Amino acid sequence: MSDQTPLIPYEWPGTYYFGEEEYAAVKDVLDSRSLFRFYGPNLQEYAKRLEKDFATRLGRKYALAVNSGTAALGIAMGAIGVGPGDEVLLPGYLWVSCVAAVVRAGAIPRLVDIDDTFCMDPEDLKRKIGPHTRAVLLVHMSGAPGAVDKIAQICRENKLFLVEDCAQANGASFHGKPVGSFGDMAIFSFQLNKNMTAGEGGMVVCDDLKLNRRAWAFHDLGYPRTDEGRLDVSDPEFHLWGQGARCSELSAAVLYAQHKKLGRITGDMRRAKWALRAKLEGIPDMKFRRIIDPAGDSGPFLIMTWKDRETCLGMVEKTRAAGVVTGPIGVNNIPMTNWGMHIYYNNGSLVGKTSNSAAGRPWNDPLNAFASGYSYAKGTLPVLDDLIWRSSMLSIPPVLSDEAIGKIAAAFHAAAKA
Ligand SMILES: *Cc1c(COP(=O)(O)O)cnc(C)c1O
């Protein structure tokens, strides 16, 4: 812990933008006594309006608001029908929810290495595609996509479903095309750390009517709804099993207001991050994470890869001592090996192939016998293992001042000279 005043305000970007709009929307919902999205005495339809705005921004036909990003991932797996006998390819730099969605669907996750974008390496993706591969779960990590164009192309050529996890990159784009518009489906999270937030929340988007209808059934009670908001049991094709992930009108009200500010939030983070990056240019033995399209970076993280582990740990230690930290509960300026369940080998349940029940599924399901030799232990992804071992990261709040940017840069330059 540093003995200096923290130079970096806490992350949780969306919270800095809470204002009259969020308060007014929440008051609307309470005043109308209509907190359930499908009916109520005077429904304000915030979930519906949020979905409309969200789909329009992404150029998507359908959007479905849900109660978390983790739920959204499970719904996407359900909608495309992933199950036992299927394998889903995903990068080793991810979040535990990505693996959980595949495992809970009864399918097998298979790890793909990353490249210097810190996102999935398209070349390793090609090598990992096999006869059981059904889908690719592409995770746009730490604010910006990797080679999403190439990966989308590979998925098309191999007839694989592409699901984008945009939880960490809401508002990012790739040469002008927003993330969330490349895959068959895409998901978002509105948890506190994400670019816009209501504390909890998520979104599922797609263009296909059937995928959309299945997603709606899964997020609810397993059945579609009528125009009056009541369960519709008329179509046997939609007698499914739901997972209870509906979005409350209270959350939707906050998110409706936040969504209108998303461009401002990501713009402020991007400006702060790239101003700092410019000032850190020239530090010896350090390379920045490669961002293919800087204009499309949503900005919440800055990743630096050092010559070796020792340099990485030394730079983190010295700059932390100089005040490059947040308050006591912040996670910032850390070696990436400490970045928890974002790193595949830090997921105990994955490495240990654990199961939620004594039956040991999905690992010992006879339909999944093809995967019995898969390992998830450290050593599985050599490029990731090397990059993470000697990289450090900063969280960039949108309210980082020019003065703080100058001091942080000075601390890194001083540490590099010492
Ligand atoms: C945060 C996150 C999720 C899960 O979102 P929750 O809303 O916390 O369930 C999924 N994927 C990634 C990459 C995330 O960062």
Side-chain angles (χ1 to χ4, degrees):
M1 186 82 316
S2 164
D3 45 8
Q4 316 251 339
T5 317
L7 283 174
I8 310 183
Y10 282 125
E11 53 272 32
W12 312 315
T15 60
Y16 291 105
Y17 298 77
F18 287 160
E20 278 171 39
E21 301 80 4
E22 283 82 353
Y23 287 102
V26 168
K27 187 167 186 304
D28 262 358
V29 173
L30 289 174
D31 288 349
S32 67
R33 297 172 39 246
S34 301
L35 289 72
F36 180 56
R37 72 163 298 172
F38 288 114
Y39 47 78
N42 181 19
L43 191 54
Q44 302 298 301
E45 297 195 323
Y46 274 106
K48 197 171 177 179
R49 287 150 65 190
L50 166 70
E51 289 162 354
K52 186 162 178 285
D53 284 2
F54 214 88
T56 302
R57 174 172 62 87
L58 298 178
R60 285 293 209 175
K61 277 208 184 111
Y62 306 111
L64 164 64
V66 298
N67 64 0
S68 78
T70 305
L73 283 164
I75 291 159
M77 290 300 131
I80 63 183
V82 163
D86 295 332
E87 161 180 281
V88 176
L89 303 183
L90 73 181
Y93 183 40
L94 43 50
W95 182 236
V96 59
S97 309
C98 306
V99 196
V102 177
V103 169
R104 279 188 290 103
I108 293 292
R110 183 159 197 213
L111 296 171
V112 179
D113 215 336
I114 60 171
D115 58 22
D116 58 353
T117 66
F118 283 74
C119 293
M120 185 183 277
D121 173 12
E123 295 308 314
D124 198 45
L125 169 61
K126 283 189 216 159
R127 287 191 285 272
K128 296 280 168 69
I129 295 171
H132 292 272
T133 310
R134 186 81 190 287
V136 172
L137 177 53
L138 177 61
V139 196
H140 304 310
M141 288 301 287
S142 307
V148 57
D149 53 344
K150 288 191 186 146
I151 287 162
Q153 178 67 25
I154 294 167
C155 290
R156 274 192 299 275
E157 284 166 10
N158 291 277
K159 299 194 166 46
L160 303 176
F161 279 105
L162 175 59
V163 178
E164 296 174 79
D165 179 339
C166 311
Q168 297 195 8
N170 191 9
S173 59
F174 187 84
H175 300 313
K177 190 170 153 59
V179 301
S181 67
F182 290 86
D184 298 286
M185 301 192 91
I187 72 95
F188 295 80
S189 163
F190 309 125
Q191 183 268 345
L192 195 69
N193 286 80
K194 318 299 169 149
N195 295 349
M196 58 177 262
T197 191
E200 296 284 6
M203 191 72 77
V204 182
V205 303
C206 67
D207 293 331
D208 182 86
L209 176 64
K210 190 166 164 193
L211 286 179
N212 181 54
R213 288 197 71 198
R214 284 175 64 88
W216 278 79
F218 286 126
H219 108 288
D220 197 356
L221 301 172
Y223 295 82
R225 295 258 172 186
T226 63
D227 290 343
E228 292 73 42
R230 303 294 170 172
L231 290 175
D232 176 2
V233 301
S234 64
D235 184 351
E237 195 186 339
F238 290 92
H239 290 186
L240 298 165
W241 303 100
Q243 69 174 74
R246 290 184 307 249
C247 182
S248 155
E249 279 286 287
L250 277 173
S251 297
V254 175
L255 293 169
Y256 175 77
Q258 282 266 292
H259 184 252
K260 295 189 185 302
K261 304 175 183 180
L262 180 62
R264 254 172 68 207
I265 301 170
T266 56
D268 289 347
M269 285 192 292
R270 183 167 52 245
R271 265 190 301 281
K273 169 182 166 176
W274 286 83
L276 176 60
R277 218 183 112 138
K279 284 191 160 40
L280 295 174
E281 224 40 272
I283 291 199
D285 303 327
M286 184 274 286
K287 269 193 183 153
F288 294 112
R289 165 199 185 184
R290 184 162 64 93
I291 306 272
I292 299 172
D293 175 22
D297 183 4
S298 71
F301 295 98
L302 178 67
I303 296 178
M304 289 174 272
T305 303
W306 304 91
K307 180 181 64 172
D308 51 30
R309 174 82 170 163
E310 201 189 343
T311 310
C312 174
L313 297 181
M315 288 300 292
V316 169
E317 194 189 336
K318 283 179 220 155
T319 52
R320 288 187 69 88
V324 184
V325 292
T326 50
I329 62 163
V331 179
N332 209 332
N333 195 13
I334 53 164
M336 287 189 77
T337 43
N338 292 3
W339 195 219
M341 292 209 251
H342 293 97
I343 319 294
Y344 72 95
Y345 56 72
N346 288 340
N347 288 265
S349 45
L350 177 63
V351 174
K353 300 189 184 179
T354 68
S355 181
N356 281 356
S357 82
R361 299 286 197 271
W363 312 104
N364 65 356
D365 188 323
L367 292 170
N368 292 332
F370 68 91
S372 59
Y374 289 3
S375 167
Y376 305 98
K378 192 174 175 188
T380 304
L381 303 178
V383 176
L384 180 149
D385 291 0
D386 171 55
L387 283 173
I388 294 295
W389 190 238
R390 55 193 177 88
S391 296
S392 63
M393 73 186 310
L394 292 171
S395 296
I396 309 292
V399 293
L400 196 63
S401 67
D402 289 344
E403 192 194 344
I405 289 170
K407 286 183 178 168
I408 295 165
F412 272 93
H413 284 283
K417 282 208 191 79

